[in-house]
């Protein structure tokens, strides 16, 4: 399941790059999230029961809406906009810094999950990697790279808010609410910016791939791993996505990457390993034991 999820999410960066050739970011995420929401509307009530799904949505709709905005809508838009200016592989490397931002925000505002000691060193190492990547971009691409940094920041904030305020809510309900609320919010702008002509088949195929397997089914896989093997095992996908996305970009989009990209990747993943405690022998044994 872990490899399957990494292959799906790694391909998402390539599909976004293809889709934004003809669609604005708002139109792209409207279609992507709308497809995901429709898919989850069919699956989640069947998996949890209609009454439980509706009850959890009603009881927690305020924080579900906040998390949808911070953890889905804004990051999806920033990533799509960023990829209008930078390569898909580079975006995937910056995205790997999400745990670094998570640890930094927790240190300042979420004391119950804050990191200390060697983990703070990991945060610093990861930030050096992000700074290297952004600083190495030509002037016209810096804003694109910073947009993806903003995406990682949004994921960090959203994950912490969900952990604090939605811990008792089923993850499937969170996924359904995130995609549904976000679709409703972005729909007017996405519809207004829709192209007057039908996009090419590559763009349509990319949108379908992003919406159904790339968002809806990927959520189900991710939450299934958390329930089965634990969050620690599921977090290993962070390490697998960038090299897979780099390979997709190189093979299918002709992207090329220099020493700065690979140096930044090494620093970010090293920082993530230190910042999340993934280098401790106890954690490594637990994760290996969870591997099916």
């Amino acid at each position: 399941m872990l490899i399957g999820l990494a292959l799906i999410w790694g391909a998402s960066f390539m599909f976004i790059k293809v889709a934004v050739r003809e669609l604005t970011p708002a139109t792209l995420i409207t279609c992507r999230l709308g497809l995901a929401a429709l898919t989850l509307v069919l699956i989640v009530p069947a998996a949890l029961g209609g009454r439980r799904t509706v009850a959890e949505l009603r009881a927690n709709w305020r924080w579900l809406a906040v998390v949808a905005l911070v953890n889905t809508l804004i990051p999806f838009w920033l990533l799509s906009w960023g990829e209008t200016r930078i390569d898909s592989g580079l975006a995937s490397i910056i995205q790997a810094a999400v745990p670094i931002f998570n640890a930094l925000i927790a240190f300042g505002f979420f004391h119950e999950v804050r990191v200390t000691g060697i983990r703070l060193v990991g945060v610093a190492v990861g930030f050096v990697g992000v700074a290297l990547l952004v600083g190495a971009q030509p002037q016209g691409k810096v804003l694109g790279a910073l947009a993806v940094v903003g995406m990682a920041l949004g994921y960090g904030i959203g994950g912490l808010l969900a952990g604090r305020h939605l811990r008792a809510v089923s993850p499937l309900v969170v996924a359904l609410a995130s995609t549904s609320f976000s679709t409703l919010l972005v729909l007017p702008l996405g519809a207004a910016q829709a192209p007057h002509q039908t996009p090419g088949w590559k763009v349509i195929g990319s949108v379908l791939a992003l919406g159904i397997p790339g968002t809806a089914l990927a959520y189900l896989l991710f939450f299934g791993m958390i329930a089965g093997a634990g969050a620690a095992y599921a977090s290993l996908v962070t390490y697998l996505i960038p090299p897979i996305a780099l390979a997709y970009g190189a093979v299918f989009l002709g992207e090329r990457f220099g020493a700065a990209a690979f140096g930044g990747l090494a620093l970010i993943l090293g920082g993530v390993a230190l910042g999340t405690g993934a280098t401790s022998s106890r954690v490594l044994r637990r994760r290996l034991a969870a591997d099916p």
Side-chain angles (χ1 to χ4, degrees):
M1 288 178 68
L2 185 71
I3 298 297
L5 181 61
L7 289 171
I8 292 172
W9 272 346
S12 294
F13 295 89
M14 174 186 67
F15 289 129
I16 291 171
K17 189 68 177 179
V18 173
V20 294
R21 293 172 180 171
E22 299 183 36
L23 301 177
T24 67
T27 301
L28 170 57
I29 63 175
T30 298
C31 297
R32 176 183 183 180
L33 291 170
L35 285 169
L38 289 173
T39 304
L40 291 170
V41 161
L42 298 175
I43 295 174
V44 174
L48 297 179
R51 289 185 178 180
R52 178 183 173 186
T53 301
V54 172
E56 292 194 2
L57 286 171
R58 285 180 175 176
N60 302 278
W61 69 269
R62 291 179 178 85
W63 279 112
L64 286 170
V66 171
V67 170
L69 180 66
V70 176
N71 196 59
T72 299
L73 179 56
I74 293 175
F76 275 35
W77 188 89
L78 287 171
L79 175 59
S80 299
W81 186 86
E83 285 204 43
T84 64
R85 287 158 171 78
I86 65 173
D87 290 339
S88 64
L90 176 61
S92 74
I93 296 174
I94 299 175
Q95 182 267 346
V98 170
I100 299 297
F101 287 98
N102 189 291
L104 178 67
I105 298 163
F107 182 80
F109 303 100
F110 293 77
H111 294 174
E112 67 273 20
V113 290
R114 69 189 304 176
V115 299
T116 57
I118 191 64
R119 295 190 178 188
L120 284 178
V121 176
V123 171
V125 171
F127 264 104
V128 171
V130 173
L132 173 64
L133 285 174
V134 174
Q137 301 310 305
Q139 186 175 0
K141 296 185 177 183
V142 170
L143 286 179
L146 288 175
V148 183
V149 172
M151 175 212 68
L153 180 62
Y155 281 150
I157 296 172
L160 289 167
L161 288 174
R164 173 180 286 181
H165 299 286
L166 299 174
R167 183 172 297 177
V169 181
S170 167
L172 294 180
V173 172
V174 177
L176 173 60
S178 294
T179 54
S180 300
F181 288 164
S182 296
T183 300
L184 293 175
L185 289 171
V186 77
L187 180 59
L189 181 60
Q193 295 183 354
H196 298 293
Q197 297 179 340
T198 303
W201 68 268
K202 290 183 180 180
V203 173
I204 294 174
S206 295
V207 171
L208 290 171
L210 286 167
I212 300 174
T215 304
L217 299 184
Y219 275 166
L220 296 178
L221 280 174
F222 185 65
F223 293 135
M225 282 195 298
I226 290 175
Y233 178 76
S235 69
L236 289 175
V237 74
T238 301
Y239 299 90
L240 298 177
I241 289 175
I244 290 173
L246 286 170
Y248 280 132
V251 173
F252 296 106
L253 301 177
E255 296 178 351
R256 296 293 180 265
F257 305 95
F262 291 104
L265 175 61
L267 288 170
I268 289 172
L269 294 185
V272 169
L274 289 172
T276 60
T279 54
S280 71
S281 59
R282 182 175 62 181
V283 171
L284 288 173
R285 286 196 302 269
R286 187 187 306 128
R287 294 182 179 182
L288 289 172
D291 199 347

